[in-house]
Amino acid sequence: MIEPIRWRGDGVEFLDQRLLPDKTVYVTCRSAAEVADAIRDMVVRGAPAIGCAAAFGFALDSIKNSDLKKAFDTLAASRPTAVNLFWALERMRRARNAVAEAVAIFDEDLAANRVMGRHGAALVPKGARVLTYCNTGALATSGHGTALGVVRTAFERDRTISVIACETRPYLQGARLTAWECVQEGIPCTLITDNMAGHLISKGEVDVVIVGADRIAANGDVANKIGTYMVAVLAHRHRLPFYVAAPTSTFDPKTVDGAAIQIEERPAQEVTGYRGVRWAPEGVAVRNPAFDVTPAELITGIICERGVVLEPNRARLAAMLN
Ligand code: MRU
C-alpha cells in the first residue's frame, strides 16, 4: 500500500515525491514551517494531500505551544490554488484538539476517496480506456486517490480497464507518479506526452476522461493541473465523457467562478529544464502557470463522496453541498 503521509506523533513523514519513481525516501517535518516548505517544494502535493499535510503541520506547532496564528499564516502562504489547504487550516483553527482534528481530516479524506471510487466506478464502462491527467492517486491524497482512485476501484471490479496517463508537463506528475502508482498496482497503463492526447482521442483510443481538481468554484468551473482545459476541449470536440473526481473539501462555494481562482505561478526552472539539466537558452522569457480552469459547460459530471453531479452548475452544486 502506498503511504504518502505518515503521522508519527512528534513529526509527520512525507514520501518525497520529488524523487519518485527512482527513490522511495521519507522526509520528516517537525514544525509548521517545515511542512510549509515541503508543500512549496512539492515533497507533498495534490490538493487533498496538501490539506492533510497542513493539518499535521498545524498540529505539530500546537503540541509545542508555538504561535498558532503564525503557523496558520505560514502554511496558508505555501501554495495558493488548492482550496483543501485553506479548508483544512480553517478546521484546525477551530479545533479543540489539534492532533485529533488532523487525524480526523486524514481519515475522512481516505473514507471519502473510497466512497468516491465506488460512485465513479459505476460510470466507467467495461474495458474502458481511461485517459487521466497529472497525479490524482494515493500520492495526491491520504491514500486511495480521487480520479485515479475511481480507476483503482473500477479495476478491482474489471481487470480489463486500462489507463492512458498524460505525462503532465512541466513537472511530470503523470510520467513519474501516476505511471509509478499504476505499475505498483498492476493497472495497465500507457504513458503519452500531453500533445498526443488529441491524436489518440481522434483515433477512438480513449473511452472516458477522468481528472482531479484543486478548487471547484460555486458555478462548477474547475481549477486543475495546467493542461486539463486542453483535454476538456478535446473531449468535448469528440463527445467523450469528461468527469472530475474530487472530495467536498475541494469545493469552494465562496469563489463565484473560475475567473476568481488564484492560479499559482511556479519557478521558470521547471519549464527551462529538469533536475539540473537545462534545455532552454539563458535569458528567454518563461511562463509557468501551474493550473488552468475548465469551464463547467465542458464537464459531464463531478464525482464526490456524496454522489455524482451531472452537468454541474451553480444550482446543482449548491443543492449537493446543502
Ligand atoms: O501541482 P500539483 O501536483 O499539486 O497539482 C495536482 C493536481 O493538479 C491534481 O490533479 C489535483 O490536486 C487533484 S489531486 C487528487
Side-chain angles (χ1 to χ4, degrees):
M1 183 182 154
I2 299 166
E3 286 185 293
I5 302 172
R6 298 197 296 218
W7 174 243
R8 293 296 190 218
D10 61 346
V12 58
E13 295 175 348
F14 300 121
L15 179 53
D16 191 341
Q17 300 194 28
R18 297 168 304 181
L19 305 180
L20 287 170
D22 307 332
K23 294 188 188 126
T24 47
V25 174
Y26 280 86
V27 169
T28 304
C29 294
R30 300 201 188 277
S31 66
E34 286 182 14
V35 171
D37 287 344
I39 294 172
R40 188 177 304 105
D41 295 345
M42 310 277 271
V43 173
V44 56
R45 42 131 315 271
I50 291 171
C52 294
F56 285 124
F58 190 94
L60 285 168
D61 272 23
S62 156
I63 294 167
K64 291 187 285 187
N65 288 320
S66 301
D67 177 349
L68 290 182
K69 160 115 185 35
K70 195 169 163 207
F72 185 103
D73 291 345
T74 305
L75 287 160
S78 58
R79 291 190 77 188
T81 305
V83 77
N84 305 60
L85 171 66
F86 308 97
W87 168 87
L89 285 173
E90 278 305 330
R91 267 185 72 166
M92 294 304 294
R93 175 159 44 199
R94 290 194 305 269
R96 290 230 192 98
N97 180 331
V99 172
E101 189 72 359
V103 171
I105 286 172
F106 181 91
D107 290 345
E108 286 168 26
D109 185 60
L110 199 52
N113 280 207
R114 294 218 165 99
V115 177
M116 207 186 320
R118 292 198 283 276
H119 290 313
L123 302 167
V124 178
K126 186 157 174 41
R129 296 153 300 175
V130 183
L131 185 134
T132 191
Y133 205 82
C134 194
N135 171 263
T136 60
L139 292 167
T141 62
S142 54
H144 184 78
T146 59
L148 200 61
V150 167
V151 170
R152 217 176 223 117
T153 305
F155 184 70
E156 282 164 16
R157 299 172 181 182
D158 171 12
R159 297 276 153 180
T160 65
I161 71 154
S162 58
V163 171
I164 296 168
C166 295
E167 69 171 347
T168 317
R169 279 277 294 143
Y171 208 67
L172 304 177
Q173 288 94 331
R176 296 188 302 108
L177 308 176
T178 298
W180 181 74
E181 285 199 36
C182 288
V183 168
Q184 296 287 307
E185 305 245 340
I187 302 172
C189 174
T190 302
L191 177 63
I192 61 169
T193 62
D194 304 331
N195 51 1
M196 295 173 187
H199 177 67
L200 264 63
I201 289 174
S202 73
K203 292 278 181 197
E205 294 187 32
V206 175
D207 300 301
V208 54
V209 178
I210 314 179
V211 300
D214 283 80
R215 193 184 288 242
I216 301 175
N219 71 338
D221 290 352
V222 168
N224 191 49
K225 180 51 54 194
I226 190 75
T228 302
Y229 170 55
M230 199 170 67
V231 177
V233 171
L234 280 171
H236 192 254
R237 166 79 173 78
H238 293 276
R239 296 186 174 79
L240 274 187
F242 181 95
Y243 292 107
V244 173
T248 46
S249 54
T250 304
F251 288 66
D252 181 15
K254 288 197 208 112
T255 295
V256 300
D257 58 25
I261 298 174
Q262 188 186 342
I263 301 293
E264 176 184 17
E265 288 271 347
R266 292 196 54 88
Q269 296 90 293
E270 290 179 0
V271 175
T272 55
Y274 190 70
R275 286 185 178 163
V277 178
R278 189 186 168 94
W279 48 68
E282 297 277 359
V284 70
V286 171
R287 284 292 309 277
N288 188 9
F291 301 95
D292 59 24
V293 173
T294 297
E297 70 198 60
L298 297 182
I299 299 170
T300 310
I302 300 181
I303 305 157
C304 73
E305 71 273 29
R306 297 193 191 168
V308 182
V309 183
L310 292 173
E311 295 180 20
N313 60 25
R314 200 175 299 279
R316 291 192 184 113
L317 287 193
M320 189 276 295
L321 288 174
N322 295 326

